[in-house]
Amino acid sequence: NNFTIYKTFDIFVEAIEKSEIASEILNLIEVPSETDKNITLQRYVTYNDVKYIITWESNDATVISNKGIITYNNEEKSACLTAYISFEGEKFSKNFEILIKAFDTLIIEDFLERLMIISEISNDIKLLTKASHYGYEFDLIWESSNPEVLRNDGKVGLCIVDTPVNLTVTMKIGNACRS
C-alpha cells in the first residue's frame, strides 16, 4: 500500500537582463592597469561552462596593439583596450585603461657597456643587428664616421692608409633608443 503525497509550488523566475549577464562575463576578464611589458590578452572567458570568445581593440595602436604588444617609449603613455564578446546575438564591451610605463633605458645602457668591438681591423667585421638583453629584443643600428673606409654594415672599403673611424651603435626597442 504505497501512496505519495505531494505539494506544488508556484515560482516566478525573474528574467535577468542580457546586459547584466554580459557585464558579469566581461568582469571575468583581467587586464593590468599599468605595464612595461607586452600583455597576454585572454582569447576567451568561461561563464556557466560556456566559452565566450573575446576580441580586442586598441584606441592607439602606436602605444599598444590589438594583440597586447606595446611600443616602448622614453616616456609614459596611456591607451584603452576594449574587450568585446557576443552574448545572445548582441555585442557587449568593456574598456580597460592601461598606463604603459616608460622603458628603462638603463637596460640598454647596461648592454652597451658590455658590448665590445676590436679596435684594429683590416677585414670586414660582423656587426650585430639584433640583440636580446634581460628578455627584451633590440635592433642595433650602426653608423660609420667614414663609410668609404668602413661601411655601416661592417664591410671594409679600400683603405691604403691607416684611418681612424668612429663606429656608433644605436640600440632601439620600439620608440626608445640610446647611442
Side-chain angles (χ1 to χ4, degrees), residues 9-161:
F9 296 91
D10 292 327
I11 299 173
F12 181 74
V13 179
E14 292 182 26
I16 300 173
E17 292 289 322
K18 286 184 193 180
S19 61
E20 288 180 47
I21 296 172
S23 181
E24 287 183 28
I25 296 168
L26 289 165
N27 284 335
L28 295 172
I29 300 171
E30 295 180 3
V31 175
S33 59
E34 60 181 50
T35 188
D36 61 354
K37 295 196 183 313
N38 296 333
I39 300 171
T40 302
L41 298 174
Q42 290 173 256
R43 296 189 342 219
Y44 64 89
V45 63
T46 303
Y47 179 82
N48 282 349
D49 297 325
V50 177
K51 284 186 180 179
Y52 296 91
I53 295 172
I54 305 167
T55 56
W56 294 93
E57 184 178 311
S58 172
N59 74 333
D60 190 345
T62 64
V63 176
I64 188 166
S65 75
N66 296 344
K67 294 182 178 183
I69 308 299
I70 67 171
T71 301
Y72 294 100
N73 284 288
N74 291 335
E75 58 195 42
E76 288 186 346
K77 302 258 181 167
S78 61
C80 179
L81 278 177
T82 303
Y84 294 95
I85 62 162
S86 290
F87 177 71
E88 297 289 320
E90 291 184 41
K91 198 171 194 178
F92 295 91
S93 64
K94 181 176 179 179
N95 293 330
F96 297 89
E97 289 293 327
I98 303 170
L99 175 68
I100 308 301
K101 295 181 189 175
F103 182 74
D104 182 2
T105 55
L106 292 175
I107 293 170
I108 295 175
E109 291 169 12
D110 180 63
F111 181 87
L112 290 174
E113 279 183 31
R114 298 168 191 241
L115 183 63
M116 303 295 239
I117 291 186
I118 55 175
S119 58
E120 293 182 21
I121 61 169
S122 56
N123 296 314
D124 298 346
I125 57 174
K126 180 169 174 52
L127 299 175
L128 297 173
T129 57
K130 301 253 182 234
S132 178
H133 195 55
Y134 290 111
Y136 294 97
E137 299 292 324
F138 298 95
D139 293 318
L140 281 75
I141 301 118
W142 297 90
E143 186 176 351
S144 171
S145 64
N146 189 341
E148 291 178 9
V149 175
L150 179 62
R151 296 188 339 206
N152 295 341
D153 62 2
K155 304 277 188 221
V156 174
L158 181 60
C159 184
I160 54 176
V161 170

